[in-house]
């Protein structure tokens, strides 16, 4: 290991942070003063500034639209090619990303009746692990696409908008599709029929169908006899974007330290 970048502050516990970094191809290692992230890609950097730039992309994935860890703060770059290792500090003005979030209620599940104290303890341990793995998967489903794709990061940002209009929903679709020239393959990949797409277009484009909510100002005859409702458009776009975000995820690039 030649370079490592310290994580000066995080709101995540060590296991959660390590698991999430591993999914991006990084390892959590012991730094000089703080835990640090490292990877073969960072080791290929020629200067500490280059290494820090790569770590900034990780920080943006954690703090940006995915909103995994808003407290994520990078520290110094450690140069392990010297003895003793040297630290290179970089000062930056931090940006702020405002995301609208919604809370959900918790469901409390009790262990089955009649278990022994040992079995109850084991049940709680297994339940806790299941909950952690579910949480980790929810985090990864946003973090990994946000890190690998600027389009995905923008999709996540737009998906967080409260009460999105047709302009925003269609932009989410366009970001996932990439380009109209890719439409046929995109529809085949994600199971979108021509009738579905026409019903979608009727709703998002045509004010004859959805009034001022629509993207366009001019009225015209709908392409279909049953255009989507606003609620159906929202559900359609969220389903497609979720499938597209999943398609961007890759197997972990490296194992634990």
């Amino acid at each position: 290991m030649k370079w490592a970048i310290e994580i000066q502050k995080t709101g995540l516990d060590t296991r959660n942070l390590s698991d999430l970094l591993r999914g991006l191809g990084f390892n959590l290692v012991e730094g000089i003063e703080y835990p640090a992230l490292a990877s073969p890609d960072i080791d290929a950097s020629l200067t500490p500034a280059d290494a820090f730039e790569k770590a900034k992309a990780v920080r943006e994935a954690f703090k940006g639209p995915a909103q995994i860890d808003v407290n994520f703060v990078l520290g110094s770059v450690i140069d392990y090619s010297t003895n003793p290792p040297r630290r290179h500090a970089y000062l930056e003005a931090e940006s702020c990303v405002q995301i609208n979030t919604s809370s959900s209620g918790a469901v409390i599940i009790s262990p089955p009746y009649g278990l022994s104290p040992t079995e109850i303890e084991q049940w709680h341990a297994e339940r806790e692990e299941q909950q952690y793995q579910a949480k980790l998967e929810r985090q990864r489903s946003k973090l990994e696409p946000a890190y690998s794709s600027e389009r995905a990061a923008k999709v996540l940002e737009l998906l967080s908008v409260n009460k999105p209009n047709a302009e925003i929903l269609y932009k989410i679709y366009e970001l996932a599709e990439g380009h109209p020239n890719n439409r046929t393959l995109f529809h085949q990949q994600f199971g979108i029929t021509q009738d579905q797409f026409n019903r979608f277009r009727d709703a998002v484009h045509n004010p004859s169908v959805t009034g001022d909510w629509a993207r366009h100002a001019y009225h015209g005859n709908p392409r279909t006899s049953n255009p989507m409702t606003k609620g159906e458009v929202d559900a359609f776009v969220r389903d497609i974007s979720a499938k597209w975000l999943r398609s961007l995820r890759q197997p972990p690039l490296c194992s634990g330290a």
Side-chain angles (χ1 to χ4, degrees):
M1 183 172 62
K2 181 179 179 181
W3 308 107
I5 297 86
E6 291 184 315
I7 301 172
Q8 188 172 331
K9 186 178 179 182
T10 177
L12 305 174
D13 63 44
T14 300
R15 180 190 180 190
N16 195 198
L17 179 61
S18 178
D19 285 344
L20 290 171
L21 285 172
R22 192 176 300 117
L24 300 182
F26 297 87
N27 288 320
L28 186 66
V29 299
E30 185 176 350
I32 295 176
E33 186 176 351
Y34 304 98
L37 62 91
S39 75
D41 185 46
I42 287 179
D43 272 350
S45 301
L46 298 179
T47 67
D50 292 337
F52 192 72
E53 283 298 314
K54 293 176 181 178
K56 283 167 61 177
V58 177
R59 181 190 62 194
E60 178 57 26
F62 274 85
K63 294 189 69 170
Q67 292 286 279
I68 303 301
D69 183 10
V70 297
N71 297 312
F72 194 98
V73 177
L74 294 174
S76 300
V77 177
I78 305 173
D79 182 355
Y80 284 104
S81 66
T82 64
N83 190 15
R86 289 191 303 168
R87 297 170 74 189
H88 302 264
Y90 295 87
L91 298 177
E92 298 182 293
E94 292 194 53
S95 60
C96 176
V97 177
Q98 181 65 41
I99 301 292
N100 294 321
T101 58
S102 59
S103 59
S104 58
V107 177
I108 299 175
I109 300 177
S110 299
Y113 180 75
L115 296 183
S116 68
T118 299
E119 290 171 329
I120 290 176
E121 183 178 352
Q122 181 180 354
W123 184 91
H124 280 294
E126 292 174 352
R127 176 71 180 168
E128 184 176 341
E129 180 62 20
Q130 290 171 357
Q131 291 175 327
Y132 171 74
Q133 292 298 333
K135 170 189 171 183
L136 181 64
E137 176 57 25
R138 290 194 299 270
Q139 291 171 319
R140 283 175 165 168
S141 71
K142 296 180 179 181
L143 179 67
E144 292 171 15
Y147 176 72
S148 65
S149 166
E150 291 184 7
R151 285 161 53 201
K154 187 63 179 179
V155 164
L156 289 167
E157 179 184 338
L158 295 176
L159 285 170
S160 71
V161 173
N162 187 31
K163 296 182 179 179
N165 57 21
E167 185 75 32
I168 290 174
L169 292 171
Y170 194 71
K171 186 175 290 187
I172 293 171
Y173 168 83
E174 287 181 314
L175 284 164
E177 182 184 63
H179 192 280
N181 290 344
N182 187 46
R183 183 161 297 163
T184 298
L185 290 176
F186 181 77
H187 286 187
Q188 290 175 351
Q189 181 179 1
F190 297 105
I192 303 170
T193 66
Q194 189 60 48
D195 180 62
Q196 274 183 306
F197 187 66
N198 287 338
R199 294 177 60 229
F200 167 64
R201 286 196 293 187
D202 276 346
V204 294
H205 294 322
N206 197 336
S208 298
V209 176
T210 49
D212 291 339
W213 186 81
R215 297 178 67 235
H216 296 159
Y218 57 86
H219 291 250
N221 293 325
R223 296 169 181 264
T224 61
S225 60
N226 59 337
M228 288 186 180
T229 64
K230 295 177 187 179
E232 287 174 327
V233 168
D234 189 274
F236 173 77
V237 169
R238 291 182 187 277
D239 178 64
I240 294 304
S241 60
K243 292 177 180 176
W244 177 70
L245 289 170
R246 283 197 298 271
S247 74
L248 300 179
R249 298 177 62 188
Q250 300 293 332
L253 298 179
C254 64
S255 60

